[in-house]
């Protein structure tokens, strides 16, 4: 997918993204402390930082963070939500051309984003900006698709109505991770996480996704009717559960 398309596809989904996208379990930061020696004094380049969901966790750990975000709407939301953190610096740039100085950061991270990058160019840029011994950390929340009746029905809804869901969901593969590390050794850790929603939350979570047809699209109304149907079928006390496996990949590039 062209980088320009990846950059613009969340522009009209920012508020739903802020309200309904999942965060990351605190075990991720604990793992990076134990496995990579992450300390508050380390400087991090958080690539495609978006609205700052993962960035905030790094800032709360005490890290100075460059939030690299090319999408203006997402970047402005992140600047608003992270305004109280003096160690946050917002940068209007991309994974492939961060504009950061060479050997200026201890960690490069990318949360729910690396599958959108030009992998070869991004890796070269990460190698350039990392200090010797610096770490690359890639993480994704992988939504479970077959653990409950609701999640099976939700997956089928995306396959039926999603504009390019099948293409996007195939981007996050082991081979893609291998390309970022390019034969450098890396490790993987996995953590469980969940979200609980009423119907409004489920709809907002769906519409935060780049492949969900928005208002004005002919599939938008039929998709929401189906969402209402499967919610009513599976909800308990007016709530449903989204389950995730948070996958974290980390290794040294230089």
């Amino acid at each position: 997918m062209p980088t320009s398309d990846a950059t613009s596809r969340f522009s009209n989904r920012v508020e739903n993204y802020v309200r309904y996208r999942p965060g990351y379990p605190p075990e991720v930061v604990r793992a990076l402390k134990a496995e990579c020696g992450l300390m508050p004094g380390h400087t991090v380049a958080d690539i495609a930082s978006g609205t700052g969901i993962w960035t905030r966790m790094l800032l709360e750990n005490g890290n100075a963070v460059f939030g690299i975000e090319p999408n203006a709407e997402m970047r402005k939301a992140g600047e608003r939500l992270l305004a109280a953190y003096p160690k946050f610096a917002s940068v209007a740039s991309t994974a492939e051309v961060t504009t950061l100085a060479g050997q200026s950061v201890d960690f490069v991270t990318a949360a729910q984003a690396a599958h959108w990058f030009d992998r070869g160019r991004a890796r070269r840029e990460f190698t350039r900006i990392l200090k010797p011994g610096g770490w690359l950390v890639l993480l994704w929340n992988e939504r479970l698709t077959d653990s409950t009746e609701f999640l099976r029905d939700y997956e089928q809804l995306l396959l039926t109505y999603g504009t390019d869901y099948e293409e996007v969901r195939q981007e996050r593969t082991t081979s893609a991770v291998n390309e970022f590390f390019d034969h450098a050794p890396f490790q993987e850790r996995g953590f469980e996480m969940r979200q609980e929603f009423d119907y409004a939350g489920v709809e907002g979570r769906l519409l935060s996704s780049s492949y969900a047809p928005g208002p004005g699209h002919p599939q938008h109304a039929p998709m929401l009717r189906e969402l209402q149907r499967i919610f009513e079928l599976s909800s308990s006390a007016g709530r449903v559960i989204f389950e995730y496996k948070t996958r974290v990949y980390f290794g040294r590039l230089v």
Side-chain angles (χ1 to χ4, degrees):
M1 179 178 297
T3 303
S4 58
D5 293 347
T7 298
S8 62
R9 61 190 291 136
F10 289 99
S11 295
N12 61 351
R13 303 172 190 269
V14 172
E15 290 310 312
N16 281 326
Y17 205 101
V18 169
R19 295 182 64 186
Y20 301 114
R21 277 299 178 112
Y24 300 92
E27 290 89 348
V28 176
V29 173
R30 289 200 287 269
L32 296 182
K33 289 180 179 180
E35 306 273 2
C36 309
L38 176 67
M39 296 185 297
H42 285 141
T43 299
V44 182
D46 187 25
I47 310 298
S49 53
T51 62
I53 295 172
W54 166 244
T55 317
R56 183 188 299 273
M57 296 181 69
L58 294 166
L59 292 166
E60 289 175 347
N61 188 56
N63 298 105
V65 183
F66 292 104
I68 308 298
E69 177 51 57
N71 181 286
E73 291 79 10
M74 298 282 275
R75 188 174 63 253
K76 289 173 185 175
E79 290 168 353
R80 182 180 77 247
L81 294 168
L82 301 175
Y85 295 91
K87 289 187 175 182
F88 174 64
S90 179
V91 182
S93 58
T94 67
E96 297 78 16
V97 184
T98 65
T99 72
L100 300 184
Q103 297 188 3
S104 60
V105 300
D106 302 285
F107 283 75
V108 168
T109 67
Q112 211 72 22
H115 52 292
W116 300 118
F117 305 161
D118 180 315
R119 291 163 195 155
R121 292 177 60 212
R123 189 194 190 282
R124 288 192 293 274
E125 178 68 352
F126 299 164
T127 302
R128 185 186 70 79
I129 65 175
L130 277 168
K131 297 176 184 177
W135 294 84
L136 172 63
V137 180
L138 307 177
L139 58 155
W140 285 274
N141 282 323
E142 182 180 284
R143 177 177 43 79
L144 302 189
T145 61
D146 196 33
S147 57
T148 67
E149 181 180 10
F150 172 74
L151 291 176
R152 286 190 289 273
D153 288 343
Y154 187 81
E155 178 72 3
Q156 186 57 54
L157 178 147
L158 297 179
L159 290 168
T160 302
Y161 296 101
T163 54
D164 58 351
Y165 174 61
E166 291 189 81
E167 175 187 349
V168 171
R169 72 173 183 165
Q170 295 301 324
E171 292 279 355
R172 201 172 312 143
T173 65
T174 301
S175 62
V177 172
N178 286 335
E179 286 183 52
F180 281 109
F181 288 98
D182 192 22
H183 305 299
F186 67 91
Q187 298 187 60
E188 176 185 355
R189 298 290 181 270
F191 307 97
E192 295 181 356
M193 199 190 64
R194 52 190 272 162
Q195 289 178 295
E196 184 175 322
F197 287 127
D198 59 11
Y199 177 76
V202 171
E203 183 174 310
R205 174 67 181 86
L206 172 62
L207 295 177
S208 75
S209 301
S210 64
Y211 41 74
H217 191 286
Q219 291 283 59
H220 179 75
M223 176 185 70
L224 294 186
R225 286 195 294 270
E226 176 64 5
L227 183 67
Q228 182 78 56
R229 185 190 73 80
I230 67 174
F231 178 85
E232 292 174 355
L233 183 68
S234 298
S235 61
S236 175
R239 316 284 287 186
V240 295
I241 303 295
F242 278 68
E243 297 176 333
Y244 302 89
K245 185 81 164 184
T246 301
R247 298 195 181 278
V248 186
Y249 305 87
F250 54 91
R252 283 191 174 96
L253 290 190
V254 291

